[in-house]
Amino acid sequence: MSIKKLVTSITSAALLTMLPFTAAAEERIVLKSAKSTSSYYVMMVQLSEILKNSGEFSPTVEESQGSVQNVMESRVRPGNFLFTTPPSLLSLAAQGKGPFKDVEPFENSRTLFPMPFVTIHFVARADSGIESLSDLKGKTIIGGGTGTFCESRTKAILKALGMTDDITLVEVELNATNAAIRNGKVDGFTTCSSHPSPSVVELASGTDLTIIPMTDAERATIIDLDPLSGPISIAKGTYAGMTADVNTVGVPVGAYGTTNMSDDAAYLITKTFWEAKDNLAGAQAWWNGVSPELVGLLGASVHPGAAKYYKEAGINISE
């Protein structure tokens, strides 16, 4: 299914299933996550629909180049700005390191609720003969898309496994990946998205693919590199032609506001999300793994408005 059809389907489903409640006025809110070809963009569309149907908000979904851009913009965006990022980038921003080394350290993000984890996919054309990560040696792959969080994760994983010099990484925009695979220009690619990833679903519908599994030893090495990463499995049948579960790693992702977001808005956003979560999961399975217990992994102070909701709902959260 194409992204356009998926977004249309989700929008229609949301309109039918989300029950609105009356409000005196609507607040503007901007939601920003990822490129329009990613599952996280689809999630922003879902979230915008539940906020719109609450009657409290007038949402706008903006396409993003990725989490680094989201965090950078959080320094200056006024009002209700909801964005997603792995918490590790918030730590780097607070220290003025990595992609934030050229700006004054900042720490103005505030946790609202967890998002589905980023699932690291190593994907290869089935006719490439690649069945394991070690088979990637001597091959050419696209490493997550130029300038993306996935590109940095791909390089970090290959470095941890001692494979940096064994693989040719092609730097192209993320949206050029599927065409490069179909045309046989590369042997494989990485993508970092919740699963099922719409772009991988679309590609697998017309191209034979292998979702490359990690061994237990490989996963342990990667998790040692990044303690926030954890083991995650992609169930068989998730993608066309996938006949066995695939073990890989995942990274936490959160939905954040900023210190510019009012307490009332943060309260309503958080409340609306959790009350609609089951309906969201009914439309897309990637929401099933989201639970309040994950709030403590998100690396930023909980927004006071969100904290008010968690207290009222009797949800014990840990920072």
Side-chain angles (χ1 to χ4, degrees):
M1 180 182 292
S2 69
I3 277 286
K4 183 177 180 181
K5 289 181 179 178
L6 182 56
V7 170
T8 301
S9 173
I10 287 172
T11 300
S12 300
L15 289 171
L16 290 172
T17 58
M18 307 305 175
L19 297 177
F21 58 88
T22 304
E26 294 181 347
E27 286 197 60
R28 296 183 62 184
I29 181 171
V30 173
L31 301 94
K32 193 155 190 166
S33 183
K35 295 193 178 214
S36 60
T37 53
S38 77
S39 58
Y40 284 94
Y41 184 86
V42 176
M43 292 176 204
M44 288 297 102
V45 173
Q46 288 185 286
L47 292 177
S48 74
E49 288 299 331
I50 66 170
L51 292 173
K52 180 179 179 180
N53 283 280
S54 74
E56 295 283 352
F57 296 96
S58 175
T60 299
V61 179
E62 293 183 356
E63 186 176 12
S64 168
Q65 296 303 305
S67 297
V68 173
Q69 180 186 0
N70 297 345
V71 176
M72 196 70 79
E73 288 193 15
S74 72
R75 296 182 308 143
V76 296
R77 295 295 288 258
N80 299 322
F81 179 60
L82 186 155
F83 67 99
T84 66
T85 182
S88 56
L89 288 183
L90 298 181
S91 176
L92 292 175
Q95 300 173 69
K97 294 181 177 180
F100 310 102
K101 61 183 176 59
D102 295 326
V103 298
E104 191 73 21
F106 59 98
E107 205 170 0
N108 63 333
S109 300
R110 295 294 180 265
T111 294
L112 298 174
F113 51 83
M115 296 288 289
F117 276 24
V118 169
T119 302
I120 312 298
H121 296 62
F122 277 79
V123 186
R125 294 195 336 266
D127 61 7
S128 68
I130 299 170
E131 296 182 355
S132 66
L133 291 185
S134 60
D135 290 338
L136 289 171
K137 293 179 180 180
K139 303 294 186 179
T140 300
I141 68 171
I142 296 172
T146 303
T148 64
F149 170 77
C150 194
E151 181 182 50
S152 64
R153 287 300 303 152
T154 300
K155 291 179 177 178
I157 288 171
L158 295 178
K159 181 179 180 180
L161 298 177
M163 297 174 62
T164 300
D165 297 329
D166 300 323
I167 297 171
T168 300
L169 287 182
V170 180
E171 294 189 3
V172 299
E173 291 295 324
L174 187 63
N175 57 14
T177 298
N178 285 12
I181 290 290
R182 290 191 183 104
N183 296 332
K185 302 293 186 183
V186 296
D187 300 299
F189 66 97
T190 60
T191 184
C192 305
S193 173
S194 64
H195 67 276
S197 162
S199 62
V200 178
V201 169
E202 182 179 1
L203 181 60
S205 67
T207 305
D208 292 335
L209 300 176
T210 298
I211 313 299
I212 305 169
M214 295 179 179
T215 66
D216 290 344
E218 288 166 344
R219 288 209 296 187
T221 298
I222 294 163
I223 292 169
D224 283 343
L225 169 74
D226 181 4
L228 285 179
S229 293
I232 195 168
S233 293
I234 306 173
K236 66 180 180 180
T238 298
Y239 303 109
M242 189 175 164
T243 58
D245 294 351
V246 168
N247 291 332
T248 182
V249 294
V251 178
V253 177
Y256 301 89
T258 72
T259 51
N260 291 326
M261 179 180 284
S262 71
D263 290 357
D264 287 345
Y267 171 84
L268 287 169
I269 291 166
T270 306
K271 182 177 188 290
T272 300
F273 168 73
W274 287 111
E275 291 182 350
K277 202 271 262 187
D278 288 346
N279 281 334
L280 290 171
Q284 285 293 333
W286 52 49
W287 293 107
N288 284 322
V290 174
S291 64
E293 291 76 18
L294 301 178
V295 172
L297 299 177
L298 298 185
S301 297
V302 177
H303 195 292
K308 176 185 175 182
Y309 167 75
Y310 289 121
K311 182 177 181 180
E312 286 182 1
I315 298 172
N316 183 25
I317 58 173
S318 169
E319 298 213 31

